[in-house]
Short mmCIF file of all heavy atoms in Angstrom, two decimals:
data_model
loop_
_atom_site.label_atom_id
_atom_site.label_comp_id
_atom_site.label_asym_id
_atom_site.label_seq_id
_atom_site.Cartn_x
_atom_site.Cartn_y
_atom_site.Cartn_z
N SER A 2 2.02 1.21 0.65
CA SER A 2 2.90 2.39 0.66
C SER A 2 3.34 2.74 -0.74
O SER A 2 3.38 3.92 -1.12
CB SER A 2 4.11 2.13 1.56
OG SER A 2 3.71 1.96 2.89
N VAL A 6 2.17 6.35 -3.01
CA VAL A 6 3.06 7.22 -3.79
C VAL A 6 2.55 7.30 -5.23
O VAL A 6 2.55 8.38 -5.85
CB VAL A 6 4.51 6.71 -3.77
CG1 VAL A 6 5.39 7.56 -4.69
CG2 VAL A 6 5.06 6.72 -2.35
N TYR A 38 8.86 24.00 -19.85
CA TYR A 38 9.64 22.77 -19.90
C TYR A 38 9.91 22.19 -18.52
O TYR A 38 10.15 21.00 -18.37
CB TYR A 38 10.94 23.02 -20.68
CG TYR A 38 10.64 23.40 -22.11
CD1 TYR A 38 10.62 24.74 -22.51
CD2 TYR A 38 10.27 22.43 -23.04
CE1 TYR A 38 10.29 25.09 -23.81
CE2 TYR A 38 9.94 22.77 -24.33
CZ TYR A 38 9.94 24.10 -24.72
OH TYR A 38 9.59 24.45 -26.00
N GLN A 39 9.81 23.03 -17.51
CA GLN A 39 9.85 22.55 -16.13
C GLN A 39 8.60 21.72 -15.84
O GLN A 39 8.67 20.60 -15.30
CB GLN A 39 9.92 23.75 -15.19
CG GLN A 39 10.07 23.43 -13.72
CD GLN A 39 10.12 24.70 -12.87
OE1 GLN A 39 10.04 25.80 -13.38
NE2 GLN A 39 10.25 24.53 -11.57
N ILE A 47 7.21 12.12 -13.43
CA ILE A 47 6.40 11.63 -12.31
C ILE A 47 5.33 10.63 -12.77
O ILE A 47 4.97 9.72 -12.02
CB ILE A 47 5.76 12.81 -11.55
CG1 ILE A 47 5.45 12.40 -10.11
CG2 ILE A 47 4.50 13.32 -12.23
CD1 ILE A 47 5.15 13.53 -9.18
N GLY A 59 4.46 -2.35 -6.03
CA GLY A 59 3.44 -2.68 -5.04
C GLY A 59 2.56 -3.84 -5.49
O GLY A 59 2.26 -4.75 -4.70
N VAL A 87 12.12 6.29 -2.38
CA VAL A 87 11.49 7.56 -1.97
C VAL A 87 12.53 8.66 -1.86
O VAL A 87 12.32 9.79 -2.32
CB VAL A 87 10.73 7.37 -0.64
CG1 VAL A 87 10.37 8.73 -0.03
CG2 VAL A 87 9.48 6.55 -0.85
N ILE A 228 -14.88 -12.61 -14.39
CA ILE A 228 -16.02 -12.89 -15.27
C ILE A 228 -16.61 -14.28 -15.04
O ILE A 228 -17.53 -14.70 -15.74
CB ILE A 228 -15.64 -12.71 -16.75
CG1 ILE A 228 -14.64 -13.79 -17.21
CG2 ILE A 228 -15.11 -11.32 -17.02
CD1 ILE A 228 -14.40 -13.79 -18.71
N PRO A 261 21.95 9.94 -36.80
CA PRO A 261 23.19 9.66 -37.54
C PRO A 261 24.18 8.93 -36.64
O PRO A 261 24.12 9.02 -35.41
CB PRO A 261 23.71 11.06 -37.90
CG PRO A 261 23.15 11.96 -36.84
CD PRO A 261 21.82 11.37 -36.46
N THR A 292 -11.06 -16.86 -23.78
CA THR A 292 -11.59 -16.95 -22.41
C THR A 292 -12.99 -16.36 -22.33
O THR A 292 -13.90 -16.94 -21.72
CB THR A 292 -10.65 -16.22 -21.43
OG1 THR A 292 -9.36 -16.83 -21.46
CG2 THR A 292 -11.19 -16.25 -20.01
N GLU A 294 -15.23 -15.95 -24.72
CA GLU A 294 -16.25 -16.73 -25.44
C GLU A 294 -16.56 -18.04 -24.72
O GLU A 294 -17.73 -18.41 -24.56
CB GLU A 294 -15.79 -17.01 -26.87
CG GLU A 294 -16.83 -17.78 -27.66
CD GLU A 294 -16.57 -17.81 -29.15
OE1 GLU A 294 -15.54 -17.27 -29.60
OE2 GLU A 294 -17.41 -18.40 -29.87
N GLY A 304 -25.66 -17.96 -29.89
CA GLY A 304 -25.52 -16.99 -30.97
C GLY A 304 -24.07 -16.65 -31.22
O GLY A 304 -23.17 -17.03 -30.47
N TRP A 308 -22.18 -14.35 -26.13
CA TRP A 308 -21.20 -14.32 -25.03
C TRP A 308 -20.67 -12.91 -24.79
O TRP A 308 -20.41 -12.53 -23.65
CB TRP A 308 -20.03 -15.26 -25.36
CG TRP A 308 -19.35 -14.93 -26.67
CD1 TRP A 308 -19.70 -15.40 -27.90
CD2 TRP A 308 -18.25 -14.04 -26.87
NE1 TRP A 308 -18.88 -14.87 -28.87
CE2 TRP A 308 -17.97 -14.03 -28.27
CE3 TRP A 308 -17.46 -13.26 -26.03
CZ2 TRP A 308 -16.95 -13.27 -28.83
CZ3 TRP A 308 -16.44 -12.49 -26.58
CH2 TRP A 308 -16.19 -12.50 -27.96
N LEU A 337 3.57 -0.07 -34.66
CA LEU A 337 4.15 -0.63 -35.89
C LEU A 337 4.56 0.48 -36.85
O LEU A 337 5.57 0.38 -37.55
CB LEU A 337 3.15 -1.58 -36.56
CG LEU A 337 2.79 -2.85 -35.77
CD1 LEU A 337 1.73 -3.65 -36.51
CD2 LEU A 337 4.03 -3.71 -35.51
N ALA A 340 7.80 2.07 -35.65
CA ALA A 340 8.98 1.22 -35.82
C ALA A 340 9.31 0.95 -37.29
O ALA A 340 10.31 0.29 -37.57
CB ALA A 340 8.76 -0.11 -35.10
N GLN A 343 10.34 3.81 -43.08
CA GLN A 343 9.81 4.84 -43.97
C GLN A 343 8.72 5.66 -43.30
O GLN A 343 8.71 6.90 -43.36
CB GLN A 343 9.25 4.20 -45.26
CG GLN A 343 10.30 3.52 -46.12
CD GLN A 343 10.48 2.05 -45.74
OE1 GLN A 343 10.22 1.65 -44.62
NE2 GLN A 343 10.93 1.25 -46.70
N HIS A 359 0.23 8.16 -25.20
CA HIS A 359 -0.95 8.30 -24.35
C HIS A 359 -1.99 7.21 -24.61
O HIS A 359 -2.79 6.90 -23.72
CB HIS A 359 -1.58 9.69 -24.52
CG HIS A 359 -0.84 10.77 -23.78
ND1 HIS A 359 0.30 11.38 -24.27
CD2 HIS A 359 -1.06 11.32 -22.55
CE1 HIS A 359 0.73 12.27 -23.39
NE2 HIS A 359 -0.07 12.25 -22.33
N VAL A 362 0.31 3.72 -22.88
CA VAL A 362 0.58 3.77 -21.44
C VAL A 362 -0.57 4.43 -20.68
O VAL A 362 -1.08 3.88 -19.71
CB VAL A 362 1.91 4.50 -21.16
CG1 VAL A 362 2.17 4.57 -19.66
CG2 VAL A 362 3.06 3.81 -21.87
N ILE A 378 -6.93 -2.43 -3.61
CA ILE A 378 -6.86 -1.48 -2.50
C ILE A 378 -7.80 -1.87 -1.35
O ILE A 378 -7.37 -1.95 -0.20
CB ILE A 378 -7.12 -0.03 -2.99
CG1 ILE A 378 -5.97 0.41 -3.89
CG2 ILE A 378 -7.26 0.93 -1.82
CD1 ILE A 378 -6.24 1.67 -4.68
N TRP A 401 -12.51 9.16 -18.59
CA TRP A 401 -11.10 9.02 -19.00
C TRP A 401 -11.01 8.68 -20.49
O TRP A 401 -10.20 9.25 -21.22
CB TRP A 401 -10.45 7.90 -18.17
CG TRP A 401 -8.97 7.76 -18.36
CD1 TRP A 401 -8.31 7.09 -19.35
CD2 TRP A 401 -7.94 8.31 -17.52
NE1 TRP A 401 -6.95 7.18 -19.18
CE2 TRP A 401 -6.70 7.92 -18.06
CE3 TRP A 401 -7.96 9.08 -16.36
CZ2 TRP A 401 -5.48 8.28 -17.49
CZ3 TRP A 401 -6.74 9.43 -15.79
CH2 TRP A 401 -5.52 9.05 -16.34
N ILE A 407 -10.26 12.27 -27.36
CA ILE A 407 -10.17 13.62 -27.94
C ILE A 407 -8.72 14.10 -27.97
O ILE A 407 -8.22 14.55 -29.01
CB ILE A 407 -11.04 14.62 -27.14
CG1 ILE A 407 -12.52 14.24 -27.25
CG2 ILE A 407 -10.82 16.05 -27.62
CD1 ILE A 407 -13.43 15.01 -26.30
N ALA A 411 -6.41 14.12 -31.41
CA ALA A 411 -5.92 15.41 -31.91
C ALA A 411 -4.41 15.40 -32.06
O ALA A 411 -3.85 15.96 -33.02
CB ALA A 411 -6.36 16.54 -30.97
N ALA A 467 -9.43 3.42 0.21
CA ALA A 467 -8.35 3.23 1.18
C ALA A 467 -8.76 3.58 2.61
O ALA A 467 -8.26 2.97 3.56
CB ALA A 467 -7.14 4.07 0.77
N PRO A 488 -1.01 -29.73 -20.30
CA PRO A 488 -0.14 -29.51 -19.14
C PRO A 488 1.03 -28.59 -19.48
O PRO A 488 1.52 -28.60 -20.61
CB PRO A 488 0.35 -30.92 -18.79
CG PRO A 488 -0.23 -31.86 -19.76
CD PRO A 488 -1.09 -31.11 -20.72
N LYS A 497 17.98 -20.50 -16.79
CA LYS A 497 19.29 -20.31 -17.43
C LYS A 497 19.13 -20.19 -18.95
O LYS A 497 19.80 -19.40 -19.61
CB LYS A 497 20.23 -21.47 -17.09
CG LYS A 497 20.66 -21.49 -15.63
CD LYS A 497 21.57 -22.68 -15.33
CE LYS A 497 21.96 -22.71 -13.85
NZ LYS A 497 22.78 -23.90 -13.53
N SER A 522 32.98 7.91 -32.94
CA SER A 522 32.15 8.98 -32.38
C SER A 522 32.77 10.35 -32.64
O SER A 522 34.00 10.49 -32.67
CB SER A 522 31.98 8.77 -30.88
OG SER A 522 33.23 8.82 -30.23
N GLY A 534 21.45 27.45 -24.27
CA GLY A 534 22.37 28.50 -24.69
C GLY A 534 23.29 28.94 -23.57
O GLY A 534 24.35 29.54 -23.82
#
Side-chain angles (χ1 to χ4, degrees):
S2 296
V6 175
Y38 297 98
Q39 184 180 0
I47 205 166
V87 166
I228 68 171
T292 299
E294 181 167 3
W308 56 272
L337 295 177
Q343 295 90 335
H359 282 82
V362 179
I378 293 167
W401 188 277
I407 295 170
K497 291 179 182 177
S522 61

